[in-house]
Amino acid sequence: MTSLGWGGVGGKSLIGGSDDDSTTATPPQAQQKQDAQPETPSWATPPVPAPTPSGKATKGKGKGKQGQQRPKGDAPPVVPVASQTVDGVEPGPSQRQLNTRLDDVARREAAVRQREEHIKELEDRLKEGGIQVKPKNWPKCKPILYHDIYAEIPTPNQPVCKAGYYCWMISVSAYIMNFLTVSIQFFMGQGTLACFIFAALAAVTGIFCSWWTVYQSLYAALKTNGGSFAYGKYFIHKTISILWALWTFIAPPIGSLACFVAGLFVMIDQFSVGGSKGAVGGTLSIINMVLWGLVLLLASYEFIWTFSIWKKGGGLQDLEDQQRNASTAAMVFQNDTVSSAAKRLFGGAPRDDGIKF
């Protein structure tokens, strides 16, 4: 049976074959339908990945031609893109971070300038009101106080103030040495725990009290011109300091806590023990005695020097004036009206007790 193709196009003649085994050509209507399929919209088309350096393209997930892999020979050439430069410097993440840090530093500098201007304005207001702002300059390692002998102490009184300052520094060394001596003796078995604790308390309390009471009272007294109250406070504090230095130097064996100061009698006890421990404890006690002896001598010299300054500065005249004022005030109690009122209220008067002013 001879079969003709569609539209008279030549076909094959099959003999003894069935219709299922025959090869049929694609009808023109079907070919037109395949050509008339709608194109995929741009928003539904997956992006094509950039070509790899080897010229291979990765497979896309979309359908159609875009999901097929390119042949190796058909890979498009890679065209280098010129990077944008600013003044020959390529901007990158490091450059942006540097700019951010510079902006942060500039913002902090502006804040610091504003604070300094505000503090300066407050200081100017205080100066206008008669209040002087003194910068902290002592100690130099960590200023917490204002201390300037040349600026605050009159020139004739500056030497004795320096002597008091040196005496305070030597006393600080003596307090520390006493604590170290007692501590070493304690760890060598030559002392008790109570002696160690009291030596630590004596060192901490003595250093601060020697500054705030003894030296500061001298510093304030030397600013005045023979003021009896300021000098009187200094004389009281300095007398207590001298007595303490004498006690520490001798270390009399009074009570069970006499070992918290390594003085003369403690030194004798240490050498009487014998051996290396006794020798070490006795030697440290001698060093401690030398320091406290220097404190005692310099403190006594400073006391006499300060008393002479107070006397020459009109201290005795000021004291006489204060006694005269006290006598004038005491005359009030000798008034008959006041005495009678005191008798009615309190049952007696100072004149009745034999007190004379």
Side-chain angles (χ1 to χ4, degrees), residues 129-151:
I131 302 175
Q132 185 178 3
V133 180
K134 299 178 182 179
K136 299 177 181 179
N137 61 351
W138 186 91
K140 294 183 179 180
C141 58
K142 181 66 176 179
I144 57 176
L145 297 172
Y146 177 76
H147 179 260
D148 193 348
I149 297 176
Y150 297 99

Side-chain angles (χ1 to χ4, degrees), residues 312-347:
K312 293 178 181 179
L316 293 177
Q317 184 64 33
D318 186 31
L319 184 60
E320 291 176 358
D321 294 340
Q322 292 183 6
Q323 290 178 352
R324 191 178 301 110
N325 295 333
S327 300
T328 303
M331 292 295 293
V332 177
F333 293 97
Q334 297 181 1
N335 187 279
D336 296 334
T337 305
V338 176
S339 298
S340 61
K343 288 179 181 180
R344 288 194 300 267
L345 293 175
F346 309 112

Side-chain angles (χ1 to χ4, degrees), residues 99-323:
N99 294 335
T100 303
R101 293 178 180 177
L102 291 176
D103 294 340
D104 189 20
V105 170
R107 185 166 53 254
R108 292 183 179 181
E109 290 179 352
V112 171
R113 283 195 298 269
Q114 291 179 358
R115 292 179 182 178
E116 291 179 350
E117 293 176 357
H118 179 65
I119 293 174
K120 187 177 181 181
E121 182 181 357
L122 292 178
E123 291 179 354
D124 294 338
R125 291 180 182 179
L126 292 175
K127 290 180 180 179
E128 292 176 358
I131 302 175
Q132 185 178 3
V133 180
K134 299 178 182 179
K136 299 177 181 179
N137 61 351
W138 186 91
K140 294 183 179 180
C141 58
K142 181 66 176 179
I144 57 176
L145 297 172
Y146 177 76
H147 179 260
D148 193 348
I149 297 176
Y150 297 99
E152 292 193 314
I153 306 301
T155 304
N157 298 340
Q158 289 180 3
V160 66
C161 189
K162 292 180 182 178
Y165 183 66
Y166 295 150
C167 183
W168 175 78
M169 289 193 295
I170 296 175
S171 66
V172 170
S173 303
Y175 276 113
I176 296 175
M177 186 61 197
N178 181 75
F179 172 71
L180 292 177
T181 302
V182 175
S183 300
I184 293 174
Q185 292 174 359
F186 168 70
F187 287 110
M188 290 191 307
Q190 304 296 325
T192 61
L193 180 61
C195 294
F196 173 77
I197 295 175
F198 276 93
L201 292 176
V204 175
T205 307
I207 291 174
F208 284 97
C209 289
S210 62
W211 173 267
W212 291 110
T213 60
V214 182
Y215 178 70
Q216 285 298 317
S217 61
L218 173 65
Y219 196 85
L222 294 176
K223 292 181 182 179
T224 64
N225 188 17
S228 296
F229 178 77
Y231 278 90
K233 185 170 66 173
Y234 162 74
F235 291 144
I236 294 173
H237 292 310
K238 197 64 179 181
T239 302
I240 298 174
S241 176
I242 292 174
L243 293 176
W244 169 259
L246 182 61
W247 172 278
T248 308
F249 180 82
I250 299 175
I254 301 175
S256 59
L257 298 178
C259 60
F260 78 96
V261 287
L264 177 62
F265 284 93
V266 174
M267 181 264 295
I268 296 173
D269 292 339
Q270 291 294 319
F271 279 116
S272 63
V273 173
S276 60
K277 294 182 179 180
V280 172
T283 304
L284 293 175
S285 299
I286 291 176
I287 298 174
N288 187 54
M289 287 173 56
V290 170
L291 290 176
W292 282 107
L294 291 175
V295 172
L296 182 61
L297 293 176
L298 187 55
S300 302
Y301 183 73
E302 174 198 335
F303 185 90
I304 297 172
W305 195 355
T306 307
F307 182 82
S308 64
I309 291 176
W310 171 73
K311 185 178 179 180
K312 293 178 181 179
L316 293 177
Q317 184 64 33
D318 186 31
L319 184 60
E320 291 176 358
D321 294 340
Q322 292 183 6
Q323 290 178 352

Side-chain angles (χ1 to χ4, degrees), residues 35-104:
D35 296 338
Q37 290 180 354
E39 296 181 357
T40 306
S42 60
W43 57 266
T45 304
V48 180
T52 58
S54 60
K56 296 181 180 180
T58 58
K59 292 184 179 181
K61 295 182 180 180
K63 297 180 180 180
K65 297 180 179 180
Q66 294 179 356
Q68 298 177 359
Q69 183 178 3
R70 292 177 179 270
K72 295 183 179 180
D74 296 340
V78 179
V79 180
V81 180
S83 60
Q84 298 180 358
T85 60
V86 178
D87 296 336
V89 180
E90 296 183 359
S94 59
Q95 187 69 21
R96 289 195 297 270
Q97 294 177 359
L98 180 61
N99 294 335
T100 303
R101 293 178 180 177
L102 291 176
D103 294 340
D104 189 20

